[in-house]
Amino acid sequence: MITATWTSTRGWTNPSLIPYGPLQIMPNASVLHYATECFEGMKLYRGISDGRLRLFRPARNCARMRQSAARIALPDFDPEALRSMILDLCRTDGPKWLPDTPEGRGKFLYVRPTMIGTDAALGVQRPKEALLYVILATGGVKSGGGGGLRLLASNEDTIRAWPGGFGYAKLGANYGPSLVAQGEARSRGFDQVLWLFGPSCVVTEAGASNFFVVWRTPESQGGRLQLITAPLEERIILEGITRASILDLARERFAAPGAGRESVEVVERSFTMDEIVQARREDRLVEAFAAGTAFFVAPVSVIHFRGQDLDVPTAAGDSGEYAKTIKQWLVDIMYGNVDHEWGVVVTEAK
Ligand code: PLP
């Protein structure tokens, strides 16, 4: 792993590459009492045809981690320095865990940069000491079985994030409190929670992923195809890097009609469960999917909302056509099937 320490008087020390192992922090360390922690999640991909290692838009993760750190009173840092620490770790340890073998190609490692407040002081105050580290993990999060994700809509008594809160930041404090609802969803046979907000049941995120719907607007509004996802302005969702990439690609590639395909309008606005239910009732709901590093682009087949299962169409077997197309665009970039500036090649140590 790579570690770097910070103190309010000396600033950051040079990062060091050390063997993975336990951390030494005091029992009264800030992170253990006041949740002064933020993290990132990205993947290191082994190219399918060229066997090279790539990260997907790592600069965006570093920029987001700065924002998260600011929200939880952790120190600022040079995002380019973090990016280069991540690349160094991937260069050094990537080949060991993700060898360039026929089986290794098309696989990935998970990269987890983390920052914690380490001051040994129980006073409720901004940390004066912090530790930043980056670890790698093999394996991945299970993205549900075949047949699409089954989502359980959250109840009004369990809110993931709220205006003025910290849902837009990647803080550990967002995740611990979601585990009860997640556990309940699992025990009832669902894969993830669909997080709703407020009495009008605004749709925000699905598990630890952003959530997208493709629907047709009512005839009275033009009957146009739209790809819709929650907006960033209220700061109650995380600005996913997968989300941002999907929006960019969809705007670029779905705007004009394609071969046998209509144009699709890309919309970021608040939308509610009632709108989804109505679209389904009027046969205007085309598909829905979750998108994020962990689950990648995962089609949704069911949303359980207020005691009823809402079946979400999946035109192409297990997936909707749009989710399938978008997923392939991203696979091509992440695994180097196409050359793209978002796929950052990690040159390996020989
Ligand atoms: N929303 C939440 C709450 C998340 O934890 C994540 C995962 O990181 C995402 C969305 C998706 O973000 P990204 O596409 O950057 O992985």
Side-chain angles (χ1 to χ4, degrees):
M1 59 197 219
I2 288 198
T3 63
T5 55
W6 174 87
T7 67
S8 58
T9 49
R10 292 195 307 275
W12 288 102
T13 57
N14 287 332
S16 17
L17 180 68
I18 59 170
Y20 181 84
L23 301 175
Q24 282 222 327
I25 53 174
M26 296 303 278
N28 58 352
S30 169
V31 61
L32 300 177
H33 300 269
Y34 310 123
T36 46
E37 190 261 10
C38 65
F39 65 100
E40 266 307 322
M42 65 187 92
K43 283 176 177 168
L44 177 67
Y45 304 91
R46 176 65 78 183
I48 293 173
S49 55
D50 69 359
R52 300 182 84 180
L53 290 177
R54 282 180 184 79
L55 288 162
F56 184 71
R57 312 187 78 180
R60 286 198 68 125
N61 292 89
C62 298
R64 188 169 67 183
M65 187 144 163
R66 260 185 105 189
Q67 267 197 4
S68 301
R71 183 64 183 86
I72 195 75
L74 283 167
D76 197 10
F77 55 87
D78 173 4
E80 188 42 44
L82 175 61
R83 197 183 98 102
S84 102
M85 276 166 71
I86 293 168
L87 263 85
D88 278 351
L89 182 64
C90 291
R91 185 172 296 126
T92 313
D93 259 24
K96 179 163 150 199
W97 301 104
L98 213 53
D100 183 16
T101 57
E103 311 78 64
R105 290 190 176 192
K107 297 236 163 72
F108 59 80
L109 280 180
Y110 188 73
V111 185
R112 169 55 60 90
T114 310
M115 200 195 316
I116 57 176
T118 49
D119 317 22
L122 281 183
V124 182
Q125 59 179 356
R126 285 186 83 96
K128 293 194 180 72
E129 294 176 15
L131 172 72
L132 197 163
Y133 58 90
V134 187
I135 54 176
L136 300 177
T138 54
V141 187
K142 214 170 138 263
S143 57
L149 291 179
R150 293 169 49 80
L151 302 180
L152 176 62
S154 63
N155 287 322
E156 270 171 62
D157 62 359
T158 312
I159 300 167
R160 192 197 86 92
W162 49 90
F166 44 90
Y168 68 91
K170 209 161 164 63
L171 309 183
N174 273 317
Y175 297 82
S178 74
L179 300 179
V180 171
Q182 167 67 14
E184 190 195 326
R186 284 278 159 85
S187 69
R188 292 175 57 187
F190 295 94
D191 298 300
Q192 290 294 328
V193 176
L194 180 64
W195 295 106
L196 307 182
F197 176 72
S200 54
C201 297
V202 168
V203 180
T204 64
E205 302 194 76
S209 328
N210 294 113
F211 180 72
F212 288 79
V213 169
V214 181
W215 63 23
R216 193 175 286 286
T217 60
E219 270 322 309
S220 59
Q221 291 168 34
R224 285 162 294 127
L225 269 183
Q226 286 186 336
L227 171 69
I228 181 161
T229 196
L232 303 173
E233 288 76 32
E234 283 172 332
R235 309 194 100 184
I236 56 174
I237 66 160
L238 188 78
E239 182 175 8
I241 291 150
T242 321
R243 174 190 181 280
S245 308
I246 290 173
L247 292 175
D248 283 356
L249 292 175
R251 285 194 173 111
E252 191 186 302
R253 301 178 186 182
F254 281 156
R261 187 181 48 69
E262 281 177 58
S263 66
V264 182
E265 200 179 353
V266 177
V267 180
E268 291 170 78
R269 73 150 167 92
S270 280
F271 61 104
T272 63
M273 268 316 295
D274 278 350
E275 289 181 272
I276 298 184
V277 171
Q278 200 179 341
R280 181 70 184 108
R281 198 181 307 127
E282 295 170 359
D283 221 12
R284 294 184 287 103
L285 182 62
V286 178
E287 62 180 77
F289 58 90
T293 300
F295 294 102
F296 199 20
V297 178
V300 170
S301 57
V302 171
I303 301 172
H304 190 85
F305 174 60
R306 304 291 180 262
Q308 302 218 320
D309 271 355
L310 182 120
D311 293 318
V312 180
T314 48
D318 276 357
S319 172
E321 288 288 354
Y322 293 95
K324 197 171 158 191
T325 304
I326 288 167
K327 186 172 180 174
Q328 193 59 46
W329 290 342
L330 293 173
V331 162
D332 285 345
I333 299 173
M334 290 161 174
Y335 290 100
N337 298 340
V338 295
D339 245 344
H340 195 286
E341 58 177 332
W342 294 349
V344 174
V345 172
V346 177
T347 321
E348 291 167 65
K350 287 279 178 268

